Amino acid sequence: MRRKRFLIGGLIIVAALVYLIYGGMQQAMVYFVTPTELKAQEAKSQGKFLRLGGMVVKGSLHRNSDGLSYRFQLTDGNARIPVYFHGIPPDLFADGKGAVAEGKMGQDGVFIATTIMAKHAEDYSPADHGKPTSPKSFIPAAEEKKS
């Protein structure tokens, strides 16, 4: 009898842990969508936290007079989604550049971003000493002499 109680208590604890872990994972999961995918499921996506990735349409980036609000459009070449962002964007965020916006789709069809991440090229070349041997090469810094 005592063993049965212990087993039932253990199952209840395990079930509670699984429920808490599953619930935490559901809130932490953020789906990445393209503007075309978001347009296709716009009604279903309202209120869900998403990552919208694409290129900032050239000429669509406008900064409001408060200096912290931005309006722009993201495109994947097929569809465009208007995006509103209030905050400080990363330095690499600009017209014609890749960006990922995290936020929710509003009822008016505007994606309300809470975070913007700018994509950048994978190429890296340091600017020190002037001329790298190749535009895609990495030149490590010179070692300091220890005396």
Side-chain angles (χ1 to χ4, degrees), residues 7 13 17 19 49 67 89 118 134:
L7 186 62
I13 291 172
L17 286 174
Y19 175 76
F49 198 75
S134 167

Side-chain angles (χ1 to χ4, degrees), residues 2-119:
R2 184 176 177 154
R3 185 177 178 143
K4 192 175 181 181
R5 284 186 192 168
F6 181 74
L7 186 62
I8 291 172
L11 285 174
I12 290 172
I13 291 172
V14 169
L17 286 174
V18 168
Y19 175 76
L20 289 174
I21 291 171
Y22 180 76
M25 287 177 59
Q26 289 293 320
Q27 291 177 354
M29 289 191 329
V30 179
Y31 294 101
F32 180 88
V33 294
T34 63
T36 301
E37 293 169 341
L38 188 57
K39 280 275 187 190
Q41 54 183 327
E42 193 170 332
K44 280 179 26 184
S45 300
Q46 288 182 358
K48 289 183 180 176
F49 198 75
L50 301 169
R51 282 187 180 164
L52 175 65
M55 302 294 287
V56 178
V57 175
K58 287 187 179 180
S60 71
L61 179 60
H62 300 286
R63 188 169 141 185
N64 289 355
S65 59
D66 64 358
L68 291 175
S69 299
Y70 295 84
R71 292 186 181 277
F72 57 95
Q73 293 181 346
L74 281 178
T75 185
D76 59 356
N78 295 322
R80 291 180 176 193
I81 299 287
V83 179
Y84 172 80
F85 173 69
H86 182 80
I88 300 172
D91 292 339
L92 296 175
F93 180 70
D95 265 343
K97 301 288 183 178
V100 176
E102 286 184 347
K104 294 179 181 179
M105 190 68 174
Q107 291 182 352
D108 57 353
V110 176
F111 190 83
I112 309 298
T114 56
T115 304
I116 292 181
M117 296 175 274
K119 293 181 181 177

Side-chain angles (χ1 to χ4, degrees), residues 92 119-125 135-138:
L92 296 175
K119 293 181 181 177
H120 59 83
E122 296 176 2
D123 299 336
Y124 174 76
S125 60
K136 295 184 177 182
S137 66
F138 171 75

